[in-house]
Amino acid sequence: MELDKMDENDWKYHGEGNKSLVVSHVQHPRVLRLLKYPAEDSENPPQIQNIVDFSSNVMSSLLGEKFIHSGEVVKLPLEFVRQLSIKVQHQRPAWRCDKVMDIYSGCALCLPNLTSPALHQPTHTPPLCIEIKPKCGFLPSPKHVSKDIKTKVCRYCMHQHYKVANGKWKRRSFYCPLDLFSGNRQRMHFAIKHLIEEPQNNFKVFKEGSDESPDMNSLLHHLRPYFLHANNRINSHVTRFAMVRTFLFFSGADGTDCDLPPLNTSVFPGSRGLPSDSVLFRILQTQMLDTLDIEGLYPLYRQVEQHLQDFPKERTRLQIEGPYNEAFLEKLQKCPAEDDGSVEYAVAKVHQYRVAMTAKDCSIMVALVQRQLRDFRPPAFSYSASILDLDPKPFDSIPRQLRLDQKIVTCYLRTGGALP
Ligand code: ATP
Ligand code: MG
Ligand code: MG
């Protein structure tokens, strides 16, 4: 990519989240991820190198390097960025337009396009990519929460009620992350069924690099060639089963279905049956670094904040805003088991909480490619799994987290968990 010869016509809108907008190259398997910020706030240029460092030095050791592509920071001509922002504007969903693309810093992240056919070996069927944003897969311990309901209903499910009550979504999703992370085959099926039925922003399907609306019929249609051999007739059950199997077992970032146990093997013991090197297991383990819940963490956050007010220079030593290097990772991994009252303990817990927040917000991208193994055998598929969206969550977002938590729980208790 020649950075001085960038042409906006070589790039097209690919997708966006709350924090960034992604464009993909029309020929090469690459994307540019440009940050966004609230329309009224153009003061603070985003610290984009921090994002790369956090992903490559911190998240990748926790989640497994094989799943992660951290990309690199590129400096783009401002005129290119400006033209690009004009070009993509009409394709952006209206509900995302409360934020604007950063057109001032000229910085972006360049990443491999994980949905691009060109990234995968040439085959007669283009790869099919499935993106799942799984959210938090465990319940907090009763020790730290003030409302009993938090130990019974998961955060995602309560948040659904809040979002419907506030008009963000018209219908609630019946997807529950506890099902997806359960390791229990039936519950995982259920989770995938509900994701397909009401994808919101937790489920996306890309075919030939483009986002497709994943209604059940079109999804089945796309998946048919990939999973046909599982059973000669394809139905929704078989498809979901194949997906569950894939999610459960892929351990490496790449593999084939030959690496997977046969379809009829019952390898789902109890509720924590995720294989320890599977992508879901790694994500769940990292999420569980949030051991205190926001309620138990908040006093420690206040302790750190007070300490920084008294000793402003400590901000650097304690690596509050990075750098996200090995020393940062060590701080959170060498946390004392008990609260000894030290600021080091408090900082380690805050760092752990922030890492867990990132793991609760990431997505998994699975690319499936159909291959012909040998003439006499039915086609098989290869898969590769990646984890994306591993941005650090700001230190000062913690008070906001507490307020949001209180709002969600209050709303849930007020409506008695019932939705109109
Ligand atoms: P969120 O609101 O979930 O925090 P975000 O603003 O941080 O999202 P990303 O999730 O990183 O942004 O990117 C937005 C979308 O762009 C993703 O959901 C995914 O569909 C697509 N995307 C991001 N990175 C890549 C990539 N390397 N290859 C292909 N698609 C990508
Ligand atoms: Mg995202
Ligand atoms: Mg994000």
Side-chain angles (χ1 to χ4, degrees):
M1 190 163 71
E2 292 182 63
L3 293 172
D4 52 337
K5 292 200 195 108
M6 298 292 284
D7 182 344
E8 70 277 3
N9 297 311
D10 293 336
W11 299 87
K12 63 173 198 225
Y13 181 81
H14 180 74
E16 69 187 283
N18 185 34
K19 224 182 114 180
S20 62
L21 188 150
V22 176
V23 293
S24 55
H25 196 276
V26 293
Q27 276 173 329
H28 305 298
R30 272 195 207 112
V31 301
L32 291 174
R33 184 172 183 251
L34 296 123
L35 295 189
K36 309 191 299 186
Y37 44 70
E40 65 281 359
D41 169 27
S42 61
E43 301 279 279
N44 304 316
Q47 296 291 310
I48 203 156
Q49 187 58 48
N50 265 348
I51 293 180
V52 177
D53 293 345
F54 191 72
S55 169
S56 60
N57 299 328
V58 181
M59 296 311 291
S60 105
S61 348
L62 297 167
L63 295 169
E65 275 171 36
K66 59 193 174 191
F67 296 119
I68 293 171
H69 309 264
S70 304
E72 55 174 4
V73 178
V74 288
K75 189 88 182 141
L76 303 165
L78 288 183
E79 187 52 24
F80 164 75
V81 181
R82 219 174 56 81
Q83 292 300 334
L84 193 63
S85 83
I86 296 168
K87 182 183 162 176
V88 301
Q89 186 56 37
H90 73 281
Q91 282 167 290
R92 301 184 55 200
W95 66 281
R96 289 288 193 194
C97 290
D98 55 328
K99 295 206 174 148
V100 294
M101 202 177 107
D102 162 35
I103 54 167
Y104 298 107
S105 76
C107 289
L109 267 175
C110 184
L111 297 152
N113 182 349
L114 300 166
T115 67
S116 166
L119 205 66
H120 309 274
Q121 302 152 346
T123 43
H124 53 279
T125 3
L128 184 86
C129 298
I130 297 166
E131 181 181 350
I132 294 188
K133 183 170 168 131
K135 303 300 287 187
C136 181
F138 71 97
L139 292 168
S141 132
K143 225 167 41 197
H144 304 287
V145 304
S146 60
K147 298 280 193 295
D148 199 35
I149 193 76
K150 284 174 70 175
T151 66
K152 299 198 166 70
V153 181
C154 94
R155 162 60 178 253
Y156 177 88
C157 291
M158 281 201 267
H159 205 174
Q160 279 292 311
H161 285 255
Y162 182 78
K163 286 176 173 172
V164 173
N166 288 281
K168 169 145 190 206
W169 301 111
K170 283 202 189 71
R171 289 194 299 166
R172 72 170 285 204
S173 153
F174 287 94
Y175 163 66
C176 175
L178 302 187
D179 288 335
L180 186 71
F181 284 102
S182 68
N184 174 290
R185 184 163 68 197
Q186 230 153 11
R187 291 183 66 190
M188 294 179 81
H189 271 221
F190 219 58
I192 289 175
K193 174 174 148 51
H194 292 316
L195 281 172
I196 296 170
E197 282 169 0
E198 186 65 26
Q200 296 189 357
N201 60 347
N202 301 93
F203 188 76
K204 254 188 241 169
V205 178
F206 296 85
K207 186 143 195 219
E208 298 186 64
S210 297
D211 190 348
E212 302 247 342
S213 76
D215 66 87
M216 193 50 163
N217 284 336
S218 77
L219 189 66
L220 280 178
H221 178 75
H222 289 331
L223 287 171
R224 187 171 288 129
Y226 296 88
F227 295 127
L228 200 58
H229 65 291
N231 186 329
N232 258 339
R233 84 203 142 79
I234 181 100
N235 57 36
S236 59
H237 182 76
V238 172
T239 305
R240 284 198 303 273
F241 184 27
M243 285 170 71
V244 164
R245 211 165 65 109
T246 310
F247 271 106
L248 257 181
F249 291 107
F250 45 75
S251 41
D254 298 287
T256 69
D257 62 348
C258 309
D259 307 340
L260 308 178
L263 275 169
N264 58 359
T265 314
S266 180
V267 276
F268 301 87
S271 60
R272 279 285 170 259
L274 291 171
S276 63
D277 48 1
S278 65
V279 70
L280 284 175
F281 183 89
R282 297 299 288 262
I283 292 175
L284 184 61
Q285 288 296 298
T286 309
Q287 293 181 347
M288 287 172 123
L289 285 171
D290 165 15
T291 54
L292 303 176
D293 188 73
I294 184 66
E295 293 185 60
L297 180 88
Y298 189 67
L300 296 170
Y301 167 83
R302 290 297 304 271
Q303 182 189 342
V304 177
E305 208 191 22
Q306 185 60 53
H307 182 83
L308 295 175
Q309 262 166 30
D310 297 343
F311 310 98
K313 285 189 183 144
E314 285 276 278
R315 190 170 278 273
T316 313
R317 183 182 70 87
L318 297 169
Q319 297 182 268
I320 301 298
E321 274 94 30
Y324 299 118
N325 51 17
E326 266 170 40
F328 181 92
L329 185 64
E330 211 166 286
K331 279 196 175 75
L332 75 92
Q333 284 176 327
K334 291 208 178 128
C335 175
E338 295 291 325
D339 187 355
D340 53 7
S342 67
V343 71
E344 278 73 19
Y345 174 82
V347 166
K349 293 313 282 186
V350 169
H351 285 350
Q352 284 182 353
Y353 180 78
R354 289 171 58 201
V355 162
M357 272 208 287
T358 297
K360 291 176 189 182
D361 230 21
C362 68
S363 322
I364 306 167
M365 188 78 86
V366 185
L368 296 166
V369 185
Q370 195 193 326
R371 295 168 309 116
Q372 192 71 45
L373 269 185
R374 284 185 213 104
D375 290 345
F376 54 88
R377 289 182 54 178
F381 64 89
S382 309
Y383 57 80
S384 68
S386 322
I387 306 177
L388 42 106
D389 196 0
L390 297 170
D391 297 354
K393 304 293 176 185
F395 174 72
D396 53 20
S397 68
I398 288 173
R400 209 160 48 239
Q401 281 295 321
L402 182 69
R403 284 195 299 276
L404 178 62
D405 187 70
Q406 288 162 344
K407 279 193 219 161
I408 289 171
V409 174
T410 310
C411 168
Y412 191 84
L413 290 173
R414 198 180 54 230
T415 59
L419 271 178

